[in-house]
């Protein structure tokens, strides 16, 4: 695979069923030193062109990549935002999985804001003559990333409702089993659910206050962002009593 970071800046793991892979990984932020004079990332971080300061003026400031040889039966974990490049050293079968949780959902939100800002810069000259310019920006961002701001809201809503159901189940178990309340709380985690909800509240608050989000037609969102925030905060308060 060419040099990239995973979708939505998600976490990922890759398990080798058979074969061998060579990984080149750069910690989040290092990719800035690998951009060319136009701000584009390289396709191949091993290409000799990267040493040409006229094309890649900041390459000399970058750190060497973390290099891993992954054998059959081994799993590699990729932290959120780490750019990487992968070479199959022989015929290889891998299983991969990406996910977002309370620890990196704010990173996903920052990524979406950066993506929208990039689209807005690209078509800024059409802002005045185009009545639905902000909607077109959302459409283009979705075509590039697979999601827009309203779908991100619905993503947060689904996660929040799931965590609230965990809290409600945990509270029911606690009330019906007073002699074993600690066991009831720890069964997939009340604390885990509260943590995720707190992070969701923080991101949802930022989304709700975002100028580009507020320009959209939010009447189709159910519940409204304000109502969902109140519900989440109430659920957190009840769980922590």
């Amino acid at each position: 695979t060419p040099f990239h970071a995973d979708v939505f800046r998600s976490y990922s793991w890759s398990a080798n069923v058979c074969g061998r892979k060579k990984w080149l990984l750069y910690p989040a932020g290092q990719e800035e030193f690998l951009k060319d004079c136009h701000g584009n990332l390289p396709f191949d971080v091993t290409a000799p062109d990267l040493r040409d300061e006229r094309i890649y003026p900041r390459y000399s400031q970058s750190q060497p990549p973390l290099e891993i040889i992954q054998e059959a039966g081994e799993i590699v974990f990729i932290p959120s935002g780490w750019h990487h490049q992968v070479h199959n050293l022989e015929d290889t079968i891998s299983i991969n999985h990406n996910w977002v949780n309370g620890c990196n959902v704010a990173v996903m939100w920052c990524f979406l804001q950066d993506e929208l800002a990039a689209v807005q810069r690209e078509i800024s000259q059409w802002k005045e003559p185009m009545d639905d310019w902000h909607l077109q920006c959302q459409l283009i961002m979705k075509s590039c990333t697979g999601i827009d701001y309203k779908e991100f809201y619905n993503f947060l809503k689904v996660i929040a409702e799931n965590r609230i159901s965990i809290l409600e189940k945990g509270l029911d178990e606690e009330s019906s089993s007073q002699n074993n309340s600690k066991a009831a709380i720890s069964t997939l985690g009340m604390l885990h659910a509260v943590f995720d909800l707190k992070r969701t509240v923080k991101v949802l608050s930022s989304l709700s206050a975002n100028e580009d989000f507020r320009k959209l037609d939010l009447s189709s969102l159910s519940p409204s962002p304000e109502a969902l925030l109140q519900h989440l905060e109430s659920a957190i308060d009840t769980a922590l009593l």
Side-chain angles (χ1 to χ4, degrees), residues 190-234:
M190 292 278 284
L191 293 178
H192 186 170
V194 169
F195 173 83
D196 282 352
L197 279 176
K198 284 183 175 181
R199 292 300 180 94
T200 303
V201 165
K202 192 170 183 178
V203 173
L204 184 58
S205 297
S206 176
L207 175 64
S208 298
N210 181 272
E211 180 180 350
D212 293 300
F213 180 68
R214 296 177 70 88
K215 288 178 181 177
L216 303 175
D217 179 10
L218 305 180
S219 61
S220 62
L221 299 180
S222 180
S224 67
E226 294 78 12
L228 181 59
L229 269 172
Q230 290 179 357
H231 189 195
L232 302 191
E233 291 167 348
S234 175

Side-chain angles (χ1 to χ4, degrees), residues 115 119 139-147:
E115 288 294 300
V119 171
L139 184 64
I140 294 171
M141 181 183 71
K142 181 179 178 180
S143 71
C144 295
T145 66
I147 194 172

Side-chain angles (χ1 to χ4, degrees), residues 8 13-14 45 53 65 67-68 91 101 115 130:
F8 303 144
W13 55 254
S14 178
V45 292
E53 292 186 354
E67 183 174 322
I68 298 171
D91 290 345
N101 61 20
E115 288 294 300
M130 191 182 299

